[in-house]
Amino acid sequence: MIRTLLKEVRQYKRASIATPVFMILEVLMETMIPFLMASIIDNGVNAGDMGHIYKVGGVMVVAAAFGLLAGVAGGRYGAKASTGFARNLRQAMFYKIQDFSFANIDKYSTAGLVTRLTTDVTNIQNAYQMTLRMFTRAPASLLCAMIMAFRINMRLASIYLIAVVLLGCVLFFIMNHATKYFQQAFPKYDDMNASVQENVSAIRVVKAYVREEHETSKFRKTSENIYRIFVKAECNLVYNAPLMQFTVYTCILLISWIGAKMIVADSLTTGEMMSLLTYCMNILMSLMMLSMVFVMISMSTASARRISEVLNETSDLKNPENPLREVADGSICFRHVDFAYKKESQEPVLRDINLDIRSGETIGIIGGTGSAKTSLVNLISRLYDVTAGAVLVGGRDVREYDMEVLRNQVSVVLQNNVLFSGSILDNLRWGNRYASREECEEACRLACADEFISKFPQGYDTHIEQGGSNVSGGQKQRLCIARALLKKPKVLILDDSTSAVDTATDAKIRRAFREELPETTKLIIAQRITSVQDADHIIVMDEGRIHGFGTHEELLAGNEIYREVYESQTKGGGDFDEKAGE
């Protein structure tokens, strides 16, 4: 886990190395000051030697200045290293997510990935900075102060040693207990982010049904869970400060009492006594800083584990060693294909699928909800890999192609249409970033999108809000179809992509495809039989199997499911899920 995260330090290695170096330099300068102060008191003040006071005082000023500069440099490099590390982690996770297959993405919730990119990375950033600075400074300060204290007086320095051991054991117990709660707390952020995301994305539904109170209650519960866990963790950490103060004051009292007797007995000087008290504070403050570092590390351990999960996740889909970079044509072949979303699934979603589709054909796909229509077409563009069998495009197994080449030639208009914030042209050029305005207009004409775009005051420069909230469902679908056409694919898949379009416009789109895209293989998933009845062949899906394959007339004559749905739709406008007689 640590090795995975530290790989992302990359260009900030120098800053990461410079930070502890400057922190150690600062500690060395600070350690010299009490020793020099003892010399001023014993050899300057008590001896009445002003020259010695000036001389050693000058050295103290230089040491303090160097310590100050080293501290500033350490802070500056520490901030640069930690923020850069956080940036690299976010970039690495984001790039990794872009390479995920649909199967990989299915393992994580959207809210969980957002939490990892935000809260978890911030925790790691804070912990990394604390580790570079305090985790270096505190042990170095503790070690240097202990060495100097033993050099001055071993008897009094033993008090520090005993205090450090006892306090260290107690702090370890507290940190270990608190860590368990922090590990429980951060995954709860996923639930809270999920609640917020769901509420914001569905805010129109929430307001339409006047469910603001219900959503507020849901959010309150998730935030309350986080609050309770953090309270439990902090209740353990709250013992840290009083224990530290008790140890500090106990050590000061013991040193003052024993040291005073030793001064009277002439076995200790006043300057040495002052130095020991200063080193006492250094030692115990170092322990305090170490405890803070351990708290931060405890908080970030769960975050580090969650981030490394994403970084170590390997995509289920990979390019072959020597991938094909050209798709010959739009022919599609399924050979005894089985498919399951999870390997451990006992029942496959698709079972023994055999299909032969010639290049340029128009194929309709209909079936009830859950009949695996979308699962079938997802295998063509290799959004998922088959569990058994093979899918061929252009006469070659899709696993032999470079995935970018394949997906550029197999254009999919997904069931859930998504538009991005920006102009209409910007959204269209997602299909082809180099497309000219004329090519965009031609694609919109084929998709019957030019009809409404021309009515906008700014035309193709009209701004689309995030998610396409300022256009209707039908308009959004037509823009997505136009975007897919700009790729000039050999295979075009429309996954229920005209469901929000009126029947007249739907017919225009199908006619345009038939007349102007004769060489492109077109697969149209639909609930309305009128959307597919003119297709060369129609596939009837039922419970993950092909129940029927043929023309509209052939299926009407020989396929019971198709005939019942056709009759129900022509009589009462029912959809595919409403069988006749139900």
Side-chain angles (χ1 to χ4, degrees), residues 435-458:
S436 65
R437 190 183 185 94
E438 290 74 22
E439 288 175 319
C440 291
E441 290 174 356
E442 175 62 16
C444 288
R445 185 185 65 78
L446 291 174
C448 295
D450 59 333
E451 298 175 0
F452 68 86
I453 294 175
S454 60
K455 295 177 182 177
F456 291 145
Q458 294 178 306

mmCIF file with all atom_site columns, all heavy atoms in Angstrom, residues 435-458:
data_model
loop_
_atom_site.group_PDB
_atom_site.id
_atom_site.type_symbol
_atom_site.label_atom_id
_atom_site.label_alt_id
_atom_site.label_comp_id
_atom_site.label_asym_id
_atom_site.label_entity_id
_atom_site.label_seq_id
_atom_site.pdbx_PDB_ins_code
_atom_site.Cartn_x
_atom_site.Cartn_y
_atom_site.Cartn_z
_atom_site.occupancy
_atom_site.B_iso_or_equiv
_atom_site.pdbx_formal_charge
_atom_site.auth_seq_id
_atom_site.auth_comp_id
_atom_site.auth_asym_id
_atom_site.auth_atom_id
_atom_site.pdbx_PDB_model_num
ATOM 1   N N   . ALA A 1 435 ? -14.049 17.516 -36.387 1.00 0.00 ? 435 ALA A N   1
ATOM 2   C CA  . ALA A 1 435 ? -15.171 17.710 -37.312 1.00 0.00 ? 435 ALA A CA  1
ATOM 3   C C   . ALA A 1 435 ? -15.385 19.198 -37.613 1.00 0.00 ? 435 ALA A C   1
ATOM 4   O O   . ALA A 1 435 ? -15.334 20.044 -36.712 1.00 0.00 ? 435 ALA A O   1
ATOM 5   C CB  . ALA A 1 435 ? -16.440 17.112 -36.720 1.00 0.00 ? 435 ALA A CB  1
ATOM 6   N N   . SER A 1 436 ? -15.609 19.496 -38.871 1.00 0.00 ? 436 SER A N   1
ATOM 7   C CA  . SER A 1 436 ? -15.891 20.880 -39.265 1.00 0.00 ? 436 SER A CA  1
ATOM 8   C C   . SER A 1 436 ? -17.338 21.219 -38.916 1.00 0.00 ? 436 SER A C   1
ATOM 9   O O   . SER A 1 436 ? -18.144 20.336 -38.609 1.00 0.00 ? 436 SER A O   1
ATOM 10  C CB  . SER A 1 436 ? -15.661 21.058 -40.762 1.00 0.00 ? 436 SER A CB  1
ATOM 11  O OG  . SER A 1 436 ? -16.599 20.273 -41.489 1.00 0.00 ? 436 SER A OG  1
ATOM 12  N N   . ARG A 1 437 ? -17.668 22.498 -38.996 1.00 0.00 ? 437 ARG A N   1
ATOM 13  C CA  . ARG A 1 437 ? -19.032 22.918 -38.710 1.00 0.00 ? 437 ARG A CA  1
ATOM 14  C C   . ARG A 1 437 ? -20.002 22.292 -39.716 1.00 0.00 ? 437 ARG A C   1
ATOM 15  O O   . ARG A 1 437 ? -21.116 21.903 -39.359 1.00 0.00 ? 437 ARG A O   1
ATOM 16  C CB  . ARG A 1 437 ? -19.125 24.448 -38.753 1.00 0.00 ? 437 ARG A CB  1
ATOM 17  C CG  . ARG A 1 437 ? -20.452 24.999 -38.220 1.00 0.00 ? 437 ARG A CG  1
ATOM 18  C CD  . ARG A 1 437 ? -20.511 26.510 -38.365 1.00 0.00 ? 437 ARG A CD  1
ATOM 19  N NE  . ARG A 1 437 ? -21.730 27.033 -37.756 1.00 0.00 ? 437 ARG A NE  1
ATOM 20  C CZ  . ARG A 1 437 ? -21.827 27.492 -36.519 1.00 0.00 ? 437 ARG A CZ  1
ATOM 21  N NH1 . ARG A 1 437 ? -20.757 27.487 -35.719 1.00 0.00 ? 437 ARG A NH1 1
ATOM 22  N NH2 . ARG A 1 437 ? -22.971 27.962 -36.053 1.00 0.00 ? 437 ARG A NH2 1
ATOM 23  N N   . GLU A 1 438 ? -19.554 22.186 -40.981 1.00 0.00 ? 438 GLU A N   1
ATOM 24  C CA  . GLU A 1 438 ? -20.409 21.612 -42.023 1.00 0.00 ? 438 GLU A CA  1
ATOM 25  C C   . GLU A 1 438 ? -20.700 20.134 -41.730 1.00 0.00 ? 438 GLU A C   1
ATOM 26  O O   . GLU A 1 438 ? -21.831 19.668 -41.925 1.00 0.00 ? 438 GLU A O   1
ATOM 27  C CB  . GLU A 1 438 ? -19.735 21.748 -43.399 1.00 0.00 ? 438 GLU A CB  1
ATOM 28  C CG  . GLU A 1 438 ? -19.662 23.179 -43.927 1.00 0.00 ? 438 GLU A CG  1
ATOM 29  C CD  . GLU A 1 438 ? -18.622 24.021 -43.199 1.00 0.00 ? 438 GLU A CD  1
ATOM 30  O OE1 . GLU A 1 438 ? -17.682 23.424 -42.599 1.00 0.00 ? 438 GLU A OE1 1
ATOM 31  O OE2 . GLU A 1 438 ? -18.761 25.264 -43.190 1.00 0.00 ? 438 GLU A OE2 1
ATOM 32  N N   . GLU A 1 439 ? -19.690 19.403 -41.256 1.00 0.00 ? 439 GLU A N   1
ATOM 33  C CA  . GLU A 1 439 ? -19.887 17.990 -40.920 1.00 0.00 ? 439 GLU A CA  1
ATOM 34  C C   . GLU A 1 439 ? -20.851 17.844 -39.740 1.00 0.00 ? 439 GLU A C   1
ATOM 35  O O   . GLU A 1 439 ? -21.685 16.932 -39.719 1.00 0.00 ? 439 GLU A O   1
ATOM 36  C CB  . GLU A 1 439 ? -18.550 17.334 -40.587 1.00 0.00 ? 439 GLU A CB  1
ATOM 37  C CG  . GLU A 1 439 ? -17.652 17.115 -41.802 1.00 0.00 ? 439 GLU A CG  1
ATOM 38  C CD  . GLU A 1 439 ? -16.291 16.574 -41.423 1.00 0.00 ? 439 GLU A CD  1
ATOM 39  O OE1 . GLU A 1 439 ? -15.735 17.047 -40.405 1.00 0.00 ? 439 GLU A OE1 1
ATOM 40  O OE2 . GLU A 1 439 ? -15.781 15.692 -42.124 1.00 0.00 ? 439 GLU A OE2 1
ATOM 41  N N   . CYS A 1 440 ? -20.747 18.760 -38.788 1.00 0.00 ? 440 CYS A N   1
ATOM 42  C CA  . CYS A 1 440 ? -21.656 18.735 -37.631 1.00 0.00 ? 440 CYS A CA  1
ATOM 43  C C   . CYS A 1 440 ? -23.098 19.003 -38.077 1.00 0.00 ? 440 CYS A C   1
ATOM 44  O O   . CYS A 1 440 ? -24.035 18.346 -37.609 1.00 0.00 ? 440 CYS A O   1
ATOM 45  C CB  . CYS A 1 440 ? -21.230 19.776 -36.598 1.00 0.00 ? 440 CYS A CB  1
ATOM 46  S SG  . CYS A 1 440 ? -19.671 19.405 -35.767 1.00 0.00 ? 440 CYS A SG  1
ATOM 47  N N   . GLU A 1 441 ? -23.240 19.961 -38.984 1.00 0.00 ? 441 GLU A N   1
ATOM 48  C CA  . GLU A 1 441 ? -24.581 20.287 -39.474 1.00 0.00 ? 441 GLU A CA  1
ATOM 49  C C   . GLU A 1 441 ? -25.178 19.117 -40.254 1.00 0.00 ? 441 GLU A C   1
ATOM 50  O O   . GLU A 1 441 ? -26.371 18.833 -40.147 1.00 0.00 ? 441 GLU A O   1
ATOM 51  C CB  . GLU A 1 441 ? -24.511 21.550 -40.347 1.00 0.00 ? 441 GLU A CB  1
ATOM 52  C CG  . GLU A 1 441 ? -24.220 22.812 -39.536 1.00 0.00 ? 441 GLU A CG  1
ATOM 53  C CD  . GLU A 1 441 ? -24.017 24.035 -40.418 1.00 0.00 ? 441 GLU A CD  1
ATOM 54  O OE1 . GLU A 1 441 ? -24.033 23.873 -41.664 1.00 0.00 ? 441 GLU A OE1 1
ATOM 55  O OE2 . GLU A 1 441 ? -23.825 25.140 -39.866 1.00 0.00 ? 441 GLU A OE2 1
ATOM 56  N N   . GLU A 1 442 ? -24.349 18.424 -41.041 1.00 0.00 ? 442 GLU A N   1
ATOM 57  C CA  . GLU A 1 442 ? -24.825 17.275 -41.810 1.00 0.00 ? 442 GLU A CA  1
ATOM 58  C C   . GLU A 1 442 ? -25.274 16.145 -40.877 1.00 0.00 ? 442 GLU A C   1
ATOM 59  O O   . GLU A 1 442 ? -26.312 15.511 -41.088 1.00 0.00 ? 442 GLU A O   1
ATOM 60  C CB  . GLU A 1 442 ? -23.709 16.780 -42.736 1.00 0.00 ? 442 GLU A CB  1
ATOM 61  C CG  . GLU A 1 442 ? -24.021 15.510 -43.505 1.00 0.00 ? 442 GLU A CG  1
ATOM 62  C CD  . GLU A 1 442 ? -25.205 15.657 -44.451 1.00 0.00 ? 442 GLU A CD  1
ATOM 63  O OE1 . GLU A 1 442 ? -25.604 16.801 -44.751 1.00 0.00 ? 442 GLU A OE1 1
ATOM 64  O OE2 . GLU A 1 442 ? -25.729 14.619 -44.887 1.00 0.00 ? 442 GLU A OE2 1
ATOM 65  N N   . ALA A 1 443 ? -24.486 15.895 -39.812 1.00 0.00 ? 443 ALA A N   1
ATOM 66  C CA  . ALA A 1 443 ? -24.850 14.855 -38.847 1.00 0.00 ? 443 ALA A CA  1
ATOM 67  C C   . ALA A 1 443 ? -26.160 15.213 -38.146 1.00 0.00 ? 443 ALA A C   1
ATOM 68  O O   . ALA A 1 443 ? -27.013 14.346 -37.923 1.00 0.00 ? 443 ALA A O   1
ATOM 69  C CB  . ALA A 1 443 ? -23.733 14.683 -37.823 1.00 0.00 ? 443 ALA A CB  1
ATOM 70  N N   . CYS A 1 444 ? -26.344 16.482 -37.828 1.00 0.00 ? 444 CYS A N   1
ATOM 71  C CA  . CYS A 1 444 ? -27.583 16.926 -37.181 1.00 0.00 ? 444 CYS A CA  1
ATOM 72  C C   . CYS A 1 444 ? -28.773 16.806 -38.136 1.00 0.00 ? 444 CYS A C   1
ATOM 73  O O   . CYS A 1 444 ? -29.896 16.531 -37.700 1.00 0.00 ? 444 CYS A O   1
ATOM 74  C CB  . CYS A 1 444 ? -27.437 18.363 -36.688 1.00 0.00 ? 444 CYS A CB  1
ATOM 75  S SG  . CYS A 1 444 ? -26.357 18.518 -35.238 1.00 0.00 ? 444 CYS A SG  1
ATOM 76  N N   . ARG A 1 445 ? -28.505 16.998 -39.420 1.00 0.00 ? 445 ARG A N   1
ATOM 77  C CA  . ARG A 1 445 ? -29.594 16.840 -40.397 1.00 0.00 ? 445 ARG A CA  1
ATOM 78  C C   . ARG A 1 445 ? -30.059 15.379 -40.447 1.00 0.00 ? 445 ARG A C   1
ATOM 79  O O   . ARG A 1 445 ? -31.268 15.090 -40.459 1.00 0.00 ? 445 ARG A O   1
ATOM 80  C CB  . ARG A 1 445 ? -29.108 17.293 -41.784 1.00 0.00 ? 445 ARG A CB  1
ATOM 81  C CG  . ARG A 1 445 ? -30.201 17.286 -42.849 1.00 0.00 ? 445 ARG A CG  1
ATOM 82  C CD  . ARG A 1 445 ? -29.638 17.622 -44.215 1.00 0.00 ? 445 ARG A CD  1
ATOM 83  N NE  . ARG A 1 445 ? -28.718 16.615 -44.690 1.00 0.00 ? 445 ARG A NE  1
ATOM 84  C CZ  . ARG A 1 445 ? -29.097 15.442 -45.220 1.00 0.00 ? 445 ARG A CZ  1
ATOM 85  N NH1 . ARG A 1 445 ? -30.386 15.148 -45.334 1.00 0.00 ? 445 ARG A NH1 1
ATOM 86  N NH2 . ARG A 1 445 ? -28.189 14.576 -45.639 1.00 0.00 ? 445 ARG A NH2 1
ATOM 87  N N   . LEU A 1 446 ? -29.114 14.454 -40.446 1.00 0.00 ? 446 LEU A N   1
ATOM 88  C CA  . LEU A 1 446 ? -29.458 13.030 -40.466 1.00 0.00 ? 446 LEU A CA  1
ATOM 89  C C   . LEU A 1 446 ? -30.215 12.625 -39.206 1.00 0.00 ? 446 LEU A C   1
ATOM 90  O O   . LEU A 1 446 ? -31.108 11.787 -39.244 1.00 0.00 ? 446 LEU A O   1
ATOM 91  C CB  . LEU A 1 446 ? -28.196 12.177 -40.606 1.00 0.00 ? 446 LEU A CB  1
ATOM 92  C CG  . LEU A 1 446 ? -27.469 12.237 -41.952 1.00 0.00 ? 446 LEU A CG  1
ATOM 93  C CD1 . LEU A 1 446 ? -26.171 11.461 -41.890 1.00 0.00 ? 446 LEU A CD1 1
ATOM 94  C CD2 . LEU A 1 446 ? -28.347 11.713 -43.065 1.00 0.00 ? 446 LEU A CD2 1
ATOM 95  N N   . ALA A 1 447 ? -29.820 13.240 -38.070 1.00 0.00 ? 447 ALA A N   1
ATOM 96  C CA  . ALA A 1 447 ? -30.463 12.902 -36.796 1.00 0.00 ? 447 ALA A CA  1
ATOM 97  C C   . ALA A 1 447 ? -31.704 13.759 -36.527 1.00 0.00 ? 447 ALA A C   1
ATOM 98  O O   . ALA A 1 447 ? -32.286 13.679 -35.443 1.00 0.00 ? 447 ALA A O   1
ATOM 99  C CB  . ALA A 1 447 ? -29.459 13.079 -35.648 1.00 0.00 ? 447 ALA A CB  1
ATOM 100 N N   . CYS A 1 448 ? -32.093 14.586 -37.502 1.00 0.00 ? 448 CYS A N   1
ATOM 101 C CA  . CYS A 1 448 ? -33.249 15.493 -37.373 1.00 0.00 ? 448 CYS A CA  1
ATOM 102 C C   . CYS A 1 448 ? -33.090 16.447 -36.186 1.00 0.00 ? 448 CYS A C   1
ATOM 103 O O   . CYS A 1 448 ? -34.088 16.867 -35.585 1.00 0.00 ? 448 CYS A O   1
ATOM 104 C CB  . CYS A 1 448 ? -34.544 14.690 -37.217 1.00 0.00 ? 448 CYS A CB  1
ATOM 105 S SG  . CYS A 1 448 ? -34.954 13.708 -38.672 1.00 0.00 ? 448 CYS A SG  1
ATOM 106 N N   . ALA A 1 449 ? -31.830 16.780 -35.862 1.00 0.00 ? 449 ALA A N   1
ATOM 107 C CA  . ALA A 1 449 ? -31.582 17.723 -34.767 1.00 0.00 ? 449 ALA A CA  1
ATOM 108 C C   . ALA A 1 449 ? -31.532 19.159 -35.292 1.00 0.00 ? 449 ALA A C   1
ATOM 109 O O   . ALA A 1 449 ? -31.704 20.116 -34.524 1.00 0.00 ? 449 ALA A O   1
ATOM 110 C CB  . ALA A 1 449 ? -30.275 17.387 -34.061 1.00 0.00 ? 449 ALA A CB  1
ATOM 111 N N   . ASP A 1 450 ? -31.281 19.321 -36.605 1.00 0.00 ? 450 ASP A N   1
ATOM 112 C CA  . ASP A 1 450 ? -31.189 20.671 -37.155 1.00 0.00 ? 450 ASP A CA  1
ATOM 113 C C   . ASP A 1 450 ? -32.514 21.410 -37.064 1.00 0.00 ? 450 ASP A C   1
ATOM 114 O O   . ASP A 1 450 ? -32.565 22.639 -37.062 1.00 0.00 ? 450 ASP A O   1
ATOM 115 C CB  . ASP A 1 450 ? -30.712 20.628 -38.611 1.00 0.00 ? 450 ASP A CB  1
ATOM 116 C CG  . ASP A 1 450 ? -31.647 19.804 -39.499 1.00 0.00 ? 450 ASP A CG  1
ATOM 117 O OD1 . ASP A 1 450 ? -32.310 18.883 -38.962 1.00 0.00 ? 450 ASP A OD1 1
ATOM 118 O OD2 . ASP A 1 450 ? -31.714 20.077 -40.715 1.00 0.00 ? 450 ASP A OD2 1
ATOM 119 N N   . GLU A 1 451 ? -33.632 20.644 -36.963 1.00 0.00 ? 451 GLU A N   1
ATOM 120 C CA  . GLU A 1 451 ? -34.964 21.261 -36.899 1.00 0.00 ? 451 GLU A CA  1
ATOM 121 C C   . GLU A 1 451 ? -35.107 22.170 -35.681 1.00 0.00 ? 451 GLU A C   1
ATOM 122 O O   . GLU A 1 451 ? -35.667 23.264 -35.775 1.00 0.00 ? 451 GLU A O   1
ATOM 123 C CB  . GLU A 1 451 ? -36.031 20.166 -36.866 1.00 0.00 ? 451 GLU A CB  1
ATOM 124 C CG  . GLU A 1 451 ? -36.044 19.288 -38.105 1.00 0.00 ? 451 GLU A CG  1
ATOM 125 C CD  . GLU A 1 451 ? -37.038 18.142 -37.955 1.00 0.00 ? 451 GLU A CD  1
ATOM 126 O OE1 . GLU A 1 451 ? -37.696 18.068 -36.892 1.00 0.00 ? 451 GLU A OE1 1
ATOM 127 O OE2 . GLU A 1 451 ? -37.158 17.318 -38.894 1.00 0.00 ? 451 GLU A OE2 1
ATOM 128 N N   . PHE A 1 452 ? -34.618 21.715 -34.527 1.00 0.00 ? 452 PHE A N   1
ATOM 129 C CA  . PHE A 1 452 ? -34.763 22.546 -33.323 1.00 0.00 ? 452 PHE A CA  1
ATOM 130 C C   . PHE A 1 452 ? -33.552 23.442 -33.090 1.00 0.00 ? 452 PHE A C   1
ATOM 131 O O   . PHE A 1 452 ? -33.667 24.518 -32.504 1.00 0.00 ? 452 PHE A O   1
ATOM 132 C CB  . PHE A 1 452 ? -35.043 21.678 -32.082 1.00 0.00 ? 452 PHE A CB  1
ATOM 133 C CG  . PHE A 1 452 ? -33.908 20.801 -31.640 1.00 0.00 ? 452 PHE A CG  1
ATOM 134 C CD1 . PHE A 1 452 ? -32.920 21.287 -30.779 1.00 0.00 ? 452 PHE A CD1 1
ATOM 135 C CD2 . PHE A 1 452 ? -33.841 19.476 -32.039 1.00 0.00 ? 452 PHE A CD2 1
ATOM 136 C CE1 . PHE A 1 452 ? -31.895 20.469 -30.354 1.00 0.00 ? 452 PHE A CE1 1
ATOM 137 C CE2 . PHE A 1 452 ? -32.811 18.652 -31.615 1.00 0.00 ? 452 PHE A CE2 1
ATOM 138 C CZ  . PHE A 1 452 ? -31.826 19.150 -30.774 1.00 0.00 ? 452 PHE A CZ  1
ATOM 139 N N   . ILE A 1 453 ? -32.365 23.028 -33.581 1.00 0.00 ? 453 ILE A N   1
ATOM 140 C CA  . ILE A 1 453 ? -31.164 23.863 -33.378 1.00 0.00 ? 453 ILE A CA  1
ATOM 141 C C   . ILE A 1 453 ? -31.317 25.189 -34.106 1.00 0.00 ? 453 ILE A C   1
ATOM 142 O O   . ILE A 1 453 ? -30.936 26.255 -33.603 1.00 0.00 ? 453 ILE A O   1
ATOM 143 C CB  . ILE A 1 453 ? -29.898 23.120 -33.865 1.00 0.00 ? 453 ILE A CB  1
ATOM 144 C CG1 . ILE A 1 453 ? -29.626 21.896 -32.983 1.00 0.00 ? 453 ILE A CG1 1
ATOM 145 C CG2 . ILE A 1 453 ? -28.678 24.049 -33.829 1.00 0.00 ? 453 ILE A CG2 1
ATOM 146 C CD1 . ILE A 1 453 ? -28.477 21.026 -33.460 1.00 0.00 ? 453 ILE A CD1 1
ATOM 147 N N   . SER A 1 454 ? -31.912 25.139 -35.306 1.00 0.00 ? 454 SER A N   1
ATOM 148 C CA  . SER A 1 454 ? -32.084 26.362 -36.103 1.00 0.00 ? 454 SER A CA  1
ATOM 149 C C   . SER A 1 454 ? -33.020 27.363 -35.441 1.00 0.00 ? 454 SER A C   1
ATOM 150 O O   . SER A 1 454 ? -32.986 28.563 -35.741 1.00 0.00 ? 454 SER A O   1
ATOM 151 C CB  . SER A 1 454 ? -32.603 26.004 -37.499 1.00 0.00 ? 454 SER A CB  1
ATOM 152 O OG  . SER A 1 454 ? -33.861 25.347 -37.403 1.00 0.00 ? 454 SER A OG  1
ATOM 153 N N   . LYS A 1 455 ? -33.851 26.882 -34.518 1.00 0.00 ? 455 LYS A N   1
ATOM 154 C CA  . LYS A 1 455 ? -34.789 27.776 -33.828 1.00 0.00 ? 455 LYS A CA  1
ATOM 155 C C   . LYS A 1 455 ? -34.160 28.487 -32.630 1.00 0.00 ? 455 LYS A C   1
ATOM 156 O O   . LYS A 1 455 ? -34.722 29.437 -32.107 1.00 0.00 ? 455 LYS A O   1
ATOM 157 C CB  . LYS A 1 455 ? -36.008 26.979 -33.362 1.00 0.00 ? 455 LYS A CB  1
ATOM 158 C CG  . LYS A 1 455 ? -36.834 26.414 -34.527 1.00 0.00 ? 455 LYS A CG  1
ATOM 159 C CD  . LYS A 1 455 ? -37.991 25.565 -34.030 1.00 0.00 ? 455 LYS A CD  1
ATOM 160 C CE  . LYS A 1 455 ? -38.778 24.964 -35.202 1.00 0.00 ? 455 LYS A CE  1
ATOM 161 N NZ  . LYS A 1 455 ? -39.867 24.076 -34.728 1.00 0.00 ? 455 LYS A NZ  1
ATOM 162 N N   . PHE A 1 456 ? -32.986 27.999 -32.187 1.00 0.00 ? 456 PHE A N   1
ATOM 163 C CA  . PHE A 1 456 ? -32.296 28.667 -31.079 1.00 0.00 ? 456 PHE A CA  1
ATOM 164 C C   . PHE A 1 456 ? -31.674 29.965 -31.588 1.00 0.00 ? 456 PHE A C   1
ATOM 165 O O   . PHE A 1 456 ? -31.133 30.001 -32.706 1.00 0.00 ? 456 PHE A O   1
ATOM 166 C CB  . PHE A 1 456 ? -31.195 27.783 -30.505 1.00 0.00 ? 456 PHE A CB  1
ATOM 167 C CG  . PHE A 1 456 ? -31.697 26.569 -29.765 1.00 0.00 ? 456 PHE A CG  1
ATOM 168 C CD1 . PHE A 1 456 ? -30.994 25.374 -29.806 1.00 0.00 ? 456 PHE A CD1 1
ATOM 169 C CD2 . PHE A 1 456 ? -32.860 26.621 -29.014 1.00 0.00 ? 456 PHE A CD2 1
ATOM 170 C CE1 . PHE A 1 456 ? -31.432 24.259 -29.129 1.00 0.00 ? 456 PHE A CE1 1
ATOM 171 C CE2 . PHE A 1 456 ? -33.315 25.509 -28.322 1.00 0.00 ? 456 PHE A CE2 1
ATOM 172 C CZ  . PHE A 1 456 ? -32.608 24.328 -28.377 1.00 0.00 ? 456 PHE A CZ  1
ATOM 173 N N   . PRO A 1 457 ? -31.718 31.049 -30.813 1.00 0.00 ? 457 PRO A N   1
ATOM 174 C CA  . PRO A 1 457 ? -31.134 32.330 -31.252 1.00 0.00 ? 457 PRO A CA  1
ATOM 175 C C   . PRO A 1 457 ? -29.657 32.211 -31.617 1.00 0.00 ? 457 PRO A C   1
ATOM 176 O O   . PRO A 1 457 ? -29.200 32.849 -32.567 1.00 0.00 ? 457 PRO A O   1
ATOM 177 C CB  . PRO A 1 457 ? -31.330 33.241 -30.037 1.00 0.00 ? 457 PRO A CB  1
ATOM 178 C CG  . PRO A 1 457 ? -32.477 32.634 -29.285 1.00 0.00 ? 457 PRO A CG  1
ATOM 179 C CD  . PRO A 1 457 ? -32.383 31.167 -29.499 1.00 0.00 ? 457 PRO A CD  1
ATOM 180 N N   . GLN A 1 458 ? -28.902 31.397 -30.882 1.00 0.00 ? 458 GLN A N   1
ATOM 181 C CA  . GLN A 1 458 ? -27.472 31.274 -31.134 1.00 0.00 ? 458 GLN A CA  1
ATOM 182 C C   . GLN A 1 458 ? -27.120 30.023 -31.951 1.00 0.00 ? 458 GLN A C   1
ATOM 183 O O   . GLN A 1 458 ? -25.944 29.734 -32.166 1.00 0.00 ? 458 GLN A O   1
ATOM 184 C CB  . GLN A 1 458 ? -26.699 31.245 -29.810 1.00 0.00 ? 458 GLN A CB  1
ATOM 185 C CG  . GLN A 1 458 ? -26.794 32.577 -29.059 1.00 0.00 ? 458 GLN A CG  1
ATOM 186 C CD  . GLN A 1 458 ? -26.062 32.509 -27.729 1.00 0.00 ? 458 GLN A CD  1
ATOM 187 O OE1 . GLN A 1 458 ? -26.311 31.633 -26.907 1.00 0.00 ? 458 GLN A OE1 1
ATOM 188 N NE2 . GLN A 1 458 ? -25.145 33.431 -27.529 1.00 0.00 ? 458 GLN A NE2 1
#
